[in-house]
Amino acid sequence: MKHIFRKGNPNKPTLLLLHGTGGSEEDLIPIAEMIDPDANILSLRGNIVENGMPRFFRRLAEGVFDEEDLIKQTEHLYDYLSEASETYKFDRDNVIAIGYSNGANIAGSLLFHYKHPLKAAILHHPMVPRRGITLPPQPQLPIFIGAGVNDPICPKQESTDLEQLLRSQEAEVTVHWEENGHQLTRTEVLAAKHWYEERFK
Ligand code: MLT
């Protein structure tokens, strides 16, 4: 996968950055720097291109995911993390995802399909990746969800459903609500930073 790897303090987590639709591997670097300037960074570009816009999996329409492709790309990402950890010599068991929108959705899909695929996850404006499946347990896995009360792409119920599903997996879920829409605001990132520092600093 097209990516940026930046080595940080070897004792720190590796922040896995996953951009939103139409983004690139550059997008979330400033956010990772805000959250933990000493961490390693692995920032990926989605392999799927929709009308020129990179994404992490195909969709059939706005908010309607191509489940077959979602499963395939999730597996690909899962395998890629092991490969990258060998190439760049980072600890595969100390990877924390930071995803926005489509990137948060594939991070959520990792949590829906694999047992303990990440050490923790910061999900900015995620949706429920799949419904009606048995989910693997993720005991005590820390998850931050940033959501907007007026998010047209990810309505309130969607965030609440995701929170409940992740809790049913025994994850430790924190939801931060913004009086905003789908955009990623500075206050939301600062809330994620505060959440991260309480757990990982
Ligand atoms: C998705 O397709 O993953 C969601 O609709 C969010 C987005 O627009 O990227």
Side-chain angles (χ1 to χ4, degrees):
M1 298 183 82
K2 193 163 185 334
H3 66 276
I4 295 171
F5 180 76
R6 226 159 75 182
K7 201 166 174 50
N9 177 333
N11 301 318
K12 285 283 189 154
T14 296
L15 302 178
L16 167 68
L17 309 184
L18 302 161
H19 62 77
T21 300
S24 83
E25 66 280 16
E26 312 268 351
D27 286 12
L28 299 181
I29 301 253
I31 285 163
E33 284 168 348
M34 260 174 86
I35 290 185
D36 188 349
D38 300 324
N40 304 296
I41 289 176
L42 176 65
S43 187
L44 306 184
R45 182 185 296 198
N47 277 336
I48 302 300
V49 181
E50 180 192 274
N51 302 323
M53 298 184 295
R55 289 175 51 85
F56 288 94
F57 57 88
R58 293 185 199 287
R59 62 180 163 183
L60 306 173
E62 172 81 53
V64 185
F65 302 158
D66 177 336
E67 289 208 3
E68 202 180 307
D69 191 58
L70 174 62
I71 295 164
K72 185 170 135 195
Q73 302 302 335
T74 304
E75 185 182 351
H76 181 60
L77 173 59
Y78 184 78
D79 293 343
Y80 181 76
L81 289 177
S82 300
E83 270 172 46
S85 73
E86 281 168 26
T87 308
Y88 294 115
K89 312 274 178 256
F90 63 80
D91 180 0
R92 172 65 187 90
D93 296 329
N94 199 8
V95 175
I96 300 182
I98 304 179
Y100 169 60
S101 192
N102 182 247
N105 294 341
I106 192 132
S109 181
L110 277 176
L111 296 164
F112 269 29
H113 292 104
Y114 296 94
K115 193 159 184 309
H116 218 83
L118 299 164
K119 176 148 186 176
I122 296 176
L123 307 176
H124 294 291
H125 302 262
M127 296 172 67
V128 175
R130 284 184 75 195
R131 291 182 187 261
I133 58 167
T134 306
L135 303 176
Q138 309 288 7
Q140 271 94 54
L141 196 145
I143 299 172
F144 173 96
I145 296 179
V149 290
N150 299 312
D151 189 334
I153 296 173
C154 176
K156 249 181 132 175
Q157 187 64 44
E158 187 81 17
S159 310
T160 310
D161 287 354
L162 181 62
E163 176 187 2
Q164 274 162 12
L165 288 164
L166 292 166
R167 280 195 209 284
S168 78
Q169 294 176 270
E170 302 158 53
E172 184 239 306
V173 188
T174 302
V175 183
H176 169 83
W177 287 99
E178 288 276 316
E179 297 289 324
N180 284 312
H182 198 62
Q183 70 268 42
L184 181 47
T185 58
R186 186 175 165 80
T187 47
E188 184 173 320
V189 177
L190 288 174
K193 178 180 171 66
H194 179 69
W195 173 92
Y196 175 94
E197 284 177 350
E198 277 182 343
R199 287 162 184 80
F200 303 105
K201 276 220 159 164

